[in-house]
Amino acid sequence: MDSPKGKAALGVAYQIPRNTLALLMIAQVVVIVPYLLHLSPWLIAVGLFSGYWRTRVYQGVWDYPGRLVKAVLVVASIAAVVLSGIEGFSLEAVSSLLIIAFALKLIEMKNRRDAYLVIFLSYFVIAIQFLFDQSILMALYELVAIVVVTAAMVGLNQLHTQVRPLVSLKLAGALVVQALPFTIVVFLLFPRIAPLWSVPLPNSSTTGISDELTPGDIASLTQSDEPAFRVIFDGERPPSSELYWRGLVYSEFDQGTWRVGPRLLPQAPRVSLEDGLRYAVLLEPTFRNWLFALDLAEPGTNSVRPTRDFRLEASEPVLSVFRYEVRSDPRGLLDPGVLPEFIRIRETAIDPTSNPRLTEFARSLWQQTGSAVAFTEAVLRSIRQEEYFYTLQPPTYTGAGTIDQFWFDGRAGFCTHYAGALVYMLRVAGIPARMVGGYQGGELNPITGHLIIRQYDAHAWAEVWQPETGWQRVDPTAAVAPARIEQGLSAALSAADRSSLSIFSNARIGDWAIAGSLLELIDSVELRWNLWVVGFDGNVQSGLLKSLLGELTPARVGMAMLGGGGLSLIVVLIVLFWRRRTLPRHPVELAFSRFAARLAAQGYPRRPEESPSGFVTRIASQVGLSDAQVGGVIAELDTLLYNPSVAWGNAELKQLKRQLRRLQFRLAFGATR
Amino acid sequence: MSSVDGRTFPERIIGSRFSAWLDKRVPPSPQITLSQRNIFIFPTRTGFVFSGLLLLLILGAVNYQASLVYAVAFLLGSLFLVTILYTFQNLSGLQLELVNARPGFVGEDLEFTVRVVRPQGKSREGIQLGWPSGIMQWAELLDKEADTVRLYVEAQRRGYQDPGRLLVETYFPLGLLRAWTWVDLNARALVYPKPVFQDFPISQQGPRDEGQLIDPFGSEDFRDIREYRPGDPTKHIIWRSYARSDELMVKQYASFVEPRLWLNLDDVSGGIEEKLSRLTGMALKATRQDREFGLKLGNLKLSPGLGDAHLETVLRELALYGFTER
């Protein structure tokens, strides 16, 4: 006998089904591609190269890489990480290493365990992508990626002999779709807890205002049309020229750079507002604690607290879209009356020798004016009346005395230049003044009625302190380019400046009406996505659940989880079992088992090991029926039961039943004789 | 055969009690339909690793406060739950039936044919069956509603061999869970003694004292008379002639080879199993040489015959010699 055991033993050396291999290679590309935006192209190259190698192995052209090739690949990958300039233990470093591991594992993947490892790593790589980007498009993309990876897992459990990736994909798609209702239930009900420990953050690759401001920083921000945050006003919305989104206060000036300076003690001034503007902010991830709000702000969210300099701060860095409620009183005063001495010292500190020409200018101006108001007015007047220009591409001011160079030589600059010069002059005159960074303005989306503030709305202005008014906002940009404040960036820009912006920015600014309204539509979808999915944190959750369930007790949440979860799984059960319940057994089998039962009653039981035809043959020979008498029935039984290629219908079934009945009579007759 | 011995841990822990409980839970029957009564389901090791991955993802989501990382973790978790239903459903409703159990010789493989039928409608994939002592086979139920699977179990000892409970399992669709059952299809196959081949012994020329042979060229034919030589059987000495002539004469018989053999347990050497093995070998050899043969096993006597049916009867008697079970 040709031992089938021997044949099977050869197959014991497990081979990953080709179906799965193909899907895994597709999955690898799908999963790595979004990282093109965040990681070094070198790294992506290593990943895709190993994918290519694996494809050649799959096609049977190349062999698995030898030890030398593997070593070269590892060295190349590490070199890629180093070359990409990733510093320390950042999110980029972690994801880079993960992708290297993933790519290199794929290339030498041989057995089932390797395949599962690659699949699990793929899921991980998909999840980590969301730490960089949680937009709705990325979510849809990664959902498809999850289907592809799951299809590879399905392929691992299908019969090896069939290469049908489409079947696996279809099944994986069905599984994922059927898992979605339960996912939504858990997503809504799973308790959100505060971070357990601090985690590696992405390098400051995200655009946005930083805690160090060098003139030119904000000008480069105008190149980006990424959203910074969205605001939903509850009721009245102030005019655009009043929308100064205050985020950072720069108190230190050194060698042309403004810095936030040492942290002030967190003894926040009590702000308690009865009325004022009410709004919710959906801040895109900044990986920093600072938040943006209109003056004078009181937080309405637990994890947000006010600071000594009247800003708002989150208790944790904003790693994901963060939603916070704010109440602002535009008439509120900041530090009116007496300025504490430590703040006065902090906000008047300046090195008058750093820009000697401007120091000289400020001192003579102070002698002419004598009061802070008049002094400020005089500076603004000279900006307005003399030849000063507002531009995104100012000449570069380098070396010592950058403010001198700007004020006296270049006379062209962006908001930071003007605000910086003003604060410098005020401090030289001994008046407390500081630089403030944030955003100004915002576009109204007519579909949802929310404001969107983009990176190109970044702005810097000055604050001057006086006993009667406290800290008051002074924006020299309004003096040089009033249109910037009233109508937004585009109105203030020259044609040369505008050509330096991206197509999208120009479209948004209003060059093409149709494209603009399409972008508004996309933005309104994104708002809802951020509102209900990305920004769904503990605060939003408890608000929603309270409105759905009333008082939040663990028992109620548990019941909701059980009820919702059970319901969504019952849907899957119905899909799976519905058709089966209504269908009977194989009709031929049913007919035969009835026949066998009747014969057993007559004293001819069927032996366990007997096939239907074997049973008939044995009984026939026992009773003494000839082959001619039973041959037809046996042939018919075998055909209908075991030959799937023969089509049969009711006529054949009826005939078989008749034959069986006749046979039963013959046997009964034979037995009595 | 790690695939079969790699039983998941509930069985390994519960051990023999499990099998006693199983006998009640899934009683032996030649035809069994799988349902929630007899299907077990438990995560595989991969499933546990997968759960670990989910925990890691949730930790990451907590620390990064990333809603969509939560969403990925929950989606994968839901996938796991949905898979429980899928894996269970993959076995549920399957009908198993033992179609045939082909006998074999000790040391060879016994072939059991099991027919697996799925209910109409949803196709089934990745269903494996096998006995703990054999190799798992796949049942292909993707495009067709029934599949017959041939399973091989090594024949251990002469007599009826019961391979025990049949393992039916599936890891479909994701391999995170294993649904399985142990069914007893009342399978038993006849195991013939291991054949030992040797020459037919000379004395196996049939029981002469019964004289029922009619063959004119039978071994009893007298041929000649010659002088006695030492070593001649004393039976053949013609004592009447010795009384007359003082000469020892012996009758010579034609030693034609008897075409119909008698295989007698008493005519072969060795222990009882060895004797049965030798007889088995002879029966096979005789059939191959197209020689009629009969069998004598203690009280049992099978008259000589030829052909596969006869050989099967003989082998069956050899296999079951000494057993009461038929």
Side-chain angles (χ1 to χ4, degrees):
Chain A
M1 198 188 330
D2 175 30
S3 165
K5 206 166 169 175
K7 262 190 249 164
L10 289 175
V12 165
Y14 181 84
Q15 288 249 315
I16 298 168
R18 289 178 71 74
N19 186 3
T20 308
L21 273 179
L23 284 166
L24 274 178
M25 286 181 291
I26 297 169
Q28 194 215 20
V29 175
V30 171
V31 161
I32 288 184
V33 158
Y35 283 89
L36 286 169
L37 295 171
H38 312 288
L39 300 185
S40 145
W42 287 104
L43 206 65
I44 308 290
V46 170
L48 294 182
F49 174 73
S50 3
Y52 177 70
W53 192 302
R54 194 63 183 77
T55 315
R56 300 303 278 173
V57 175
Y58 174 82
Q59 290 167 339
V61 184
W62 292 358
D63 198 359
Y64 288 100
R67 212 172 280 171
L68 184 72
V69 179
K70 277 191 229 168
V72 167
L73 275 174
V74 169
V75 171
S77 326
I78 290 168
V81 177
V82 174
L83 276 177
S84 61
I86 294 170
E87 295 149 23
F89 190 55
S90 70
L91 190 58
E92 280 87 352
V94 174
S95 46
S96 301
L97 291 176
L98 199 66
I99 285 192
I100 292 172
F102 173 58
L104 296 184
K105 192 69 215 171
L106 184 80
I107 202 173
E108 58 154 22
M109 174 179 68
K110 279 175 194 158
N111 57 36
R112 197 181 168 85
R113 254 185 64 190
D114 295 341
Y116 269 109
L117 192 64
V118 168
I119 286 167
F120 290 171
L121 278 173
S122 308
Y123 282 134
F124 228 90
V125 171
I126 287 173
I128 285 181
Q129 174 62 35
F130 285 133
L131 301 182
F132 295 101
D133 184 357
Q134 298 197 76
S135 70
I136 186 163
L137 284 179
M138 185 53 77
L140 290 174
Y141 179 89
E142 296 293 12
L143 192 65
V144 172
I146 285 180
V147 170
V148 175
V149 175
T150 309
M153 198 148 61
V154 169
L156 273 177
N157 294 284
Q158 282 175 320
L159 201 59
H160 303 184
T161 49
Q162 284 152 342
V163 185
R164 294 198 290 192
L166 273 182
V167 175
S168 313
L169 273 172
K170 217 178 121 194
L171 181 61
L175 281 171
V176 168
V177 167
Q178 286 169 24
L180 280 176
F182 195 83
T183 312
I184 293 169
V185 172
V186 184
F187 185 81
L188 290 178
L189 295 170
F190 188 87
R192 302 297 201 273
I193 45 177
L196 303 174
W197 61 80
S198 63
V199 284
L201 301 179
N203 284 331
S204 54
S205 58
T206 46
T207 48
I209 289 223
S210 104
D211 51 2
E212 273 190 15
L213 203 57
T214 307
D217 281 358
I218 287 191
S220 71
L221 271 184
T222 57
Q223 305 293 320
S224 162
D225 60 349
E226 276 179 43
F229 53 94
R230 292 177 172 86
V231 183
I232 304 159
F233 277 97
D234 184 9
E236 173 202 8
R237 185 172 53 84
S240 191
S241 58
E242 292 296 311
L243 295 174
Y244 279 85
W245 303 100
R246 203 162 168 269
L248 284 155
V249 170
Y250 305 93
S251 302
E252 280 189 352
F253 176 70
D254 183 34
Q255 299 191 339
T257 301
W258 291 90
R259 290 192 182 82
V260 170
R263 254 183 100 75
L264 289 168
L265 286 172
Q267 25 171 244
R270 276 183 65 86
V271 179
S272 187
L273 301 174
E274 283 310 309
D275 50 22
L277 305 164
R278 294 156 70 99
Y279 52 94
V281 180
L282 281 158
L283 181 65
E284 294 287 323
T286 57
F287 305 99
R288 300 285 191 271
N289 292 65
W290 56 74
L291 305 175
F292 300 91
L294 300 172
D295 279 332
L296 172 68
E298 180 202 13
T301 299
N302 288 337
S303 50
V304 175
R305 49 170 194 252
T307 62
R308 181 65 189 83
D309 43 10
F310 303 95
R311 298 177 300 112
L312 296 185
E313 261 188 11
S315 53
E316 301 291 336
V318 179
L319 309 180
S320 172
V321 169
F322 179 54
R323 180 195 168 129
Y324 54 97
E325 315 278 338
V326 190
R327 188 181 279 189
S328 291
D329 181 8
R331 288 168 310 227
L333 299 181
L334 289 62
D335 278 337
V338 185
L339 194 64
E341 196 52 28
F342 71 97
I343 294 186
R344 175 180 290 276
I345 293 167
R346 180 186 170 99
E347 310 295 17
T348 50
I350 197 76
D351 173 13
T353 58
S354 61
N355 290 280
R357 283 193 281 165
L358 195 59
T359 305
E360 191 58 37
F361 174 80
R363 278 181 183 154
S364 71
L365 195 65
W366 178 246
Q367 276 166 7
Q368 290 165 31
T369 53
S371 85
V373 178
F375 181 87
T376 313
E377 256 320 300
V379 174
L380 294 182
R381 201 181 313 120
S382 55
I383 294 174
R384 216 176 287 132
Q385 290 171 357
E386 290 172 34
E387 291 251 307
Y388 283 100
F389 300 98
Y390 181 76
T391 174
L392 287 186
Q393 296 146 305
T396 39
Y397 308 112
T398 49
T402 49
I403 307 185
D404 271 358
Q405 291 173 34
F406 155 67
W407 190 258
F408 296 105
D409 310 332
R411 289 177 172 254
F414 202 56
C415 54
T416 334
H417 295 96
Y418 290 98
L422 177 63
V423 174
Y424 182 89
M425 286 187 261
L426 284 164
R427 285 193 178 188
V428 168
I431 305 163
R434 58 196 183 188
M435 176 98 104
V436 178
Y439 295 84
Q440 202 280 322
E443 301 153 51
L444 179 73
N445 185 309
I447 301 169
T448 49
H450 72 277
L451 274 184
I452 175 158
I453 288 86
R454 297 180 182 278
Q455 293 301 345
Y456 59 59
D457 292 318
H459 193 52
W461 59 93
E463 272 182 355
V464 188
W465 186 84
Q466 284 179 288
E468 311 83 56
T469 51
W471 289 103
Q472 203 166 31
R473 182 176 66 228
V474 179
D475 187 358
T477 309
V480 66
R484 161 71 184 86
I485 307 305
E486 278 145 31
Q487 292 151 41
L489 183 68
S490 70
L493 293 183
S494 65
D497 275 345
R498 292 185 68 158
S499 63
S500 74
L501 297 182
S502 76
I503 296 170
F504 280 122
S505 305
N506 277 308
R508 287 211 173 86
I509 287 166
D511 276 2
W512 307 313
I514 299 169
S517 61
L518 181 69
L519 290 170
E520 273 165 0
L521 182 70
I522 294 173
D523 174 54
S524 69
V525 173
E526 265 176 25
L527 171 84
R528 293 187 176 112
W529 175 253
N530 281 347
L531 208 54
W532 292 112
V533 181
V534 183
F536 191 83
D537 57 12
N539 295 317
V540 183
Q541 185 185 39
S542 62
L544 177 77
L545 293 187
K546 263 177 198 150
S547 69
L548 285 179
L549 305 173
E551 193 58 35
L552 284 186
T553 59
R556 278 195 186 175
V557 174
M559 288 298 287
M561 185 96 95
L562 272 180
L567 207 67
S568 49
L569 286 182
I570 283 169
V571 171
V572 178
L573 261 181
I574 289 172
V575 170
L576 267 178
F577 285 90
W578 183 262
R579 261 188 299 175
R580 224 194 70 207
R581 283 284 145 83
T582 56
L583 283 169
R585 274 168 61 182
H586 195 281
V588 174
E589 213 170 315
L590 210 63
F592 180 79
S593 62
R594 286 203 192 116
F595 166 76
R598 287 196 301 263
L599 282 202
Q602 285 179 18
Y604 302 104
R606 183 177 164 200
R607 279 189 199 147
E609 71 270 19
E610 263 172 343
S611 66
S613 53
F615 171 58
V616 174
T617 316
R618 180 175 61 84
I619 298 296
S621 72
Q622 210 172 313
V623 180
L625 294 175
S626 72
D627 279 357
Q629 281 169 303
V630 292
V633 187
I634 290 170
E636 193 83 350
L637 264 177
D638 278 345
T639 314
L640 298 196
L641 275 174
Y642 302 122
N643 192 342
S645 61
V646 173
W648 50 270
N650 272 334
E652 282 82 358
L653 184 65
K654 221 173 246 173
Q655 198 201 335
L656 177 78
K657 281 183 184 166
R658 207 178 310 123
Q659 281 177 322
L660 285 175
R661 213 165 302 130
R662 201 177 304 145
L663 180 65
Q664 189 199 338
F665 283 133
R666 276 199 189 127
L667 291 175
F669 177 66
T672 49
R673 197 169 52 174
Chain B
M1 270 147 284
S2 59
S3 63
V4 182
D5 292 333
R7 231 151 285 168
T8 43
F9 84 92
E11 283 162 48
R12 244 184 278 141
I13 288 178
I14 306 167
S16 64
R17 269 205 203 159
F18 176 72
S19 70
W21 174 79
L22 201 61
D23 279 338
K24 276 191 206 148
R25 183 89 188 169
V26 193
S29 160
Q31 193 187 52
I32 284 179
T33 305
L34 304 185
S35 70
Q36 66 274 14
R37 272 190 61 77
N38 41 31
I39 297 176
F40 312 101
I41 188 159
F42 201 75
T44 56
R45 194 186 300 163
T46 316
F48 281 108
V49 175
F50 186 77
S51 315
L53 170 90
L54 294 191
L55 278 182
L56 274 178
L57 283 180
I58 288 179
L59 261 183
V62 166
N63 281 338
Y64 280 99
Q65 299 284 295
S67 278
L68 288 188
V69 179
Y70 274 117
V72 171
F74 297 153
L75 179 63
L76 295 182
S78 307
L79 214 54
F80 192 101
L81 286 181
V82 168
T83 315
I84 296 179
L85 303 179
Y86 266 79
T87 309
F88 170 78
Q89 191 267 346
N90 203 32
L91 280 196
S92 170
L94 283 189
Q95 221 174 69
L96 293 147
E97 187 188 1
L98 186 76
V99 176
N100 189 26
R102 193 201 278 176
F105 298 95
V106 169
E108 280 186 347
D109 282 329
L110 297 168
E111 186 191 85
F112 293 91
T113 312
V114 176
R115 182 157 177 266
V116 189
V117 187
R118 68 164 162 86
Q120 276 181 315
K122 271 201 153 344
S123 61
R124 307 300 173 89
E125 283 182 80
I127 290 159
Q128 300 175 61
L129 36 154
W131 270 283
S133 49
I135 275 189
M136 301 299 281
Q137 304 275 347
W138 294 66
E140 289 188 48
L141 295 169
L142 189 61
D143 303 317
K144 43 186 185 175
E145 281 182 13
D147 191 19
T148 41
V149 181
R150 291 193 166 72
L151 297 166
Y152 299 89
V153 174
E154 197 185 350
Q156 305 282 348
R157 261 182 309 279
R158 165 179 86 77
Y160 274 115
Q161 180 167 332
D162 179 356
R165 282 185 173 263
L166 174 73
L167 173 65
V168 185
E169 64 175 357
T170 185
Y171 297 89
F172 191 79
L174 298 185
L176 304 178
L177 290 139
R178 168 185 185 243
W180 77 101
T181 187
W182 293 95
V183 293
D184 191 341
L185 293 175
N186 268 332
R188 53 171 208 176
L190 196 57
V191 179
Y192 305 140
K194 188 184 181 71
V196 171
F197 294 98
Q198 65 165 62
D199 288 335
F200 303 114
I202 309 155
S203 61
Q204 284 206 331
Q205 296 190 345
R208 75 190 67 188
D209 48 2
E210 289 175 15
Q212 82 275 50
L213 298 180
I214 326 149
D215 193 334
F217 299 104
S219 56
E220 301 293 293
D221 275 5
F222 168 75
R223 200 185 184 196
D224 204 355
I225 292 175
R226 60 162 172 80
E227 275 180 22
Y228 171 81
R229 291 179 210 145
D232 282 345
T234 47
K235 279 195 222 171
H236 293 182
I237 297 172
I238 309 169
W239 296 106
R240 262 183 296 166
S241 122
Y242 177 64
R244 274 201 307 263
S245 62
D246 268 4
E247 257 185 292
L248 269 179
M249 301 297 284
V250 290
K251 282 182 191 166
Q252 251 197 320
Y253 293 92
S255 61
F256 294 119
V257 176
E258 156 72 88
R260 298 187 302 179
L261 285 168
W262 277 97
L263 307 184
N264 191 341
L265 191 67
D266 301 332
D267 289 345
V268 283
S269 57
I272 182 73
E273 294 302 323
E274 200 188 335
K275 283 180 170 183
L276 289 169
S277 283
R278 288 180 194 281
L279 291 185
T280 305
M282 286 173 207
L284 291 174
K285 194 169 165 186
T287 307
R288 204 178 303 139
Q289 293 174 358
D290 270 341
R291 289 176 60 182
E292 287 194 2
F293 65 96
L295 177 72
K296 233 191 136 209
L297 286 176
N299 296 330
L300 177 100
K301 207 172 77 190
L302 288 180
S303 43
L306 193 59
D308 287 342
H310 178 68
L311 177 67
E312 208 179 303
T313 323
V314 168
L315 288 177
R316 184 184 175 82
E317 292 304 335
L318 287 170
L320 294 177
Y321 177 75
F323 291 118
T324 48
E325 177 197 12
R326 285 284 132 161

